Amino acid sequence: MPGDALGQDPDELRRRIDTSKAHPARVYDVFLGGKDNYEVDRAAAAAALAANPRGYLDVRHNRDFLRRAVTTLAREEGIRQFLDIGTGLPTQENVHQIAQRIIPDSRVVYVDNDPVVLAHARALLTSGPEGLTDYIDADLKQPAQILEEAAKTLDFDRPIALELVAILHFVEDAEAYPIVRELVDALPSGSRLVLSHLTEDLNPENVRAVQRTYTERGFTFVLRSRAEVERFFTESGLELDDPGVVPAHHWRPDGAAPLPERADPAYLATLDDIEKVRYRDINDVTDADINVYVATGRKA
């Protein structure tokens, strides 16, 4: 079920791509070993890695939390509708691939505002024959538009998992909490919020250094405490699922984190630090490496 965004003129999409400024979705893509990014994005990722050499573990464990959360909600709760805002560039595996492997008729709507992501939307829209996927070209700060467009694919009379994964730290408090409340208010009973967020609670020196590299490049970058992350749930009337708000690698670990690609040591020696990230094993992690809180919560 293709969205209106896919009908946009490719030339117009190219005009919208700003290669002079880093974009969060493309910087994230760098850390995930993707190729759909620009030199300015690689420079931002490299600066963040220099500030915190094991910071790639935040990105990769954040992504693995999403895998575990979608798997849990589909397999244990039977949720078959997902609204993923700030989805980023296609990677392995995408939400619809995880959900539809468990429940083939699952419906997934992806939302992002980066034209590079939009240009790759067809790669996301490869639903299985029984399910549906769609893509909305919109910003998190446009919740009414997101909800209106999402209702063309999702049934708002049945539970929906709203995913706000590694996106709210790019939004100031004055907007972030009202946006989440507006989105959650539109969801039916039994819906879930899946959320992850960077924090300075755990290893402040490392993450503050990373924060500086982003703010110097013009990003809004808000680090929130455990209580402030919980507030997204409590102010929206949600009940936290076990184990509550915890560091990403402690949320229901299942031992299934993907193993790195194999690479010849001689070849690895030719790569720079940011290029080596895709070959790092994320199972090699300690509490001193992680600066991401994660949680899921239920709407009564």
Side-chain angles (χ1 to χ4, degrees):
M1 181 176 178
D4 294 340
L6 292 182
Q8 290 194 17
D9 181 352
D11 290 336
E12 174 60 25
L13 285 180
R14 281 191 288 271
R15 281 192 292 271
R16 283 179 53 193
I17 296 172
D18 184 353
T19 60
S20 68
K21 296 178 182 178
H23 188 283
R26 301 194 307 259
V27 175
Y28 196 77
D29 182 62
V30 175
F31 280 112
L32 291 174
K35 302 297 183 184
D36 301 306
N37 48 70
Y38 297 93
E39 183 55 39
V40 66
D41 306 305
R42 292 187 286 274
L49 192 67
N52 179 15
R54 289 175 65 81
Y56 65 90
L57 288 164
D58 280 331
V59 176
R60 301 271 294 281
H61 275 278
N62 176 76
R63 185 73 195 181
D64 200 57
F65 158 69
L66 178 62
R67 175 190 64 80
R68 300 195 307 276
V70 171
T71 299
T72 298
L73 293 179
R75 180 175 293 152
E76 298 181 12
E77 304 291 338
I79 290 181
R80 59 189 64 210
Q81 299 192 107
F82 298 83
L83 177 57
D84 185 4
I85 302 178
T87 183
L89 284 147
T91 186
Q92 293 297 322
E93 289 182 298
N94 299 298
V95 171
H96 74 276
Q97 294 169 312
I98 301 166
Q100 290 177 1
R101 184 167 57 245
I102 300 165
I103 303 177
D105 66 352
S106 295
R107 298 184 175 199
V108 178
V109 172
Y110 296 102
V111 183
D112 210 294
N113 69 334
D114 179 18
V116 175
V117 176
L118 180 58
H120 288 77
R122 286 187 176 86
L124 287 172
L125 295 171
T126 52
S127 173
E130 298 174 60
L132 289 172
T133 61
D134 200 0
Y135 182 90
I136 298 172
D137 177 22
D139 191 282
L140 173 63
K141 297 179 181 180
Q142 303 167 310
Q145 178 190 345
I146 290 171
L147 292 167
E148 180 182 359
E149 292 294 322
K152 297 176 183 178
T153 301
L154 304 179
D155 179 357
F156 276 73
D157 290 326
R158 298 169 59 198
I160 295 168
L162 168 65
E163 294 162 3
L164 299 174
V165 174
I167 187 172
L168 287 167
H169 43 248
F170 297 113
V171 186
E172 297 285 1
D173 285 354
E175 293 179 290
Y177 292 101
I179 286 169
V180 174
R181 284 196 300 272
E182 182 171 349
L183 290 167
V184 171
D185 283 349
L187 302 178
S189 175
S191 293
R192 287 302 214 285
L193 172 61
V194 177
L195 185 150
S196 68
H197 201 295
L198 280 166
T199 183
E200 61 182 347
D201 284 0
L202 305 174
N203 300 289
E205 185 175 344
N206 287 346
V207 77
R208 286 173 190 157
V210 173
Q211 181 186 39
R212 286 193 296 272
T213 70
Y214 280 94
T215 55
E216 288 168 359
R217 287 164 171 78
F219 288 103
T220 296
F221 206 85
V222 183
L223 300 171
R224 292 187 171 97
S225 68
R226 186 178 186 274
E228 289 167 328
V229 172
E230 279 192 2
R231 184 180 158 197
F232 284 113
F233 294 85
T234 57
E235 286 198 0
S236 300
L238 300 170
E239 180 181 350
L240 280 166
D241 298 318
D242 288 337
V245 176
V246 296
H249 61 312
H250 289 312
W251 193 92
R252 304 189 188 186
D254 61 7
L259 295 174
E261 297 180 45
R262 291 184 177 274
D264 181 77
Y267 171 69
L268 282 175
T270 69
L271 303 180
D272 61 29
D273 288 342
I274 199 67
E275 291 171 325
K276 291 176 182 176
V277 163
R278 66 187 300 172
Y279 302 103
R280 304 294 191 197
D281 185 359
I282 71 168
N283 296 286
D284 171 28
V285 62
T286 70
D287 289 349
D289 295 319
I290 298 298
N291 303 282
V292 180
Y293 277 138
V294 305
T296 67
R298 183 181 187 275
K299 184 172 182 179

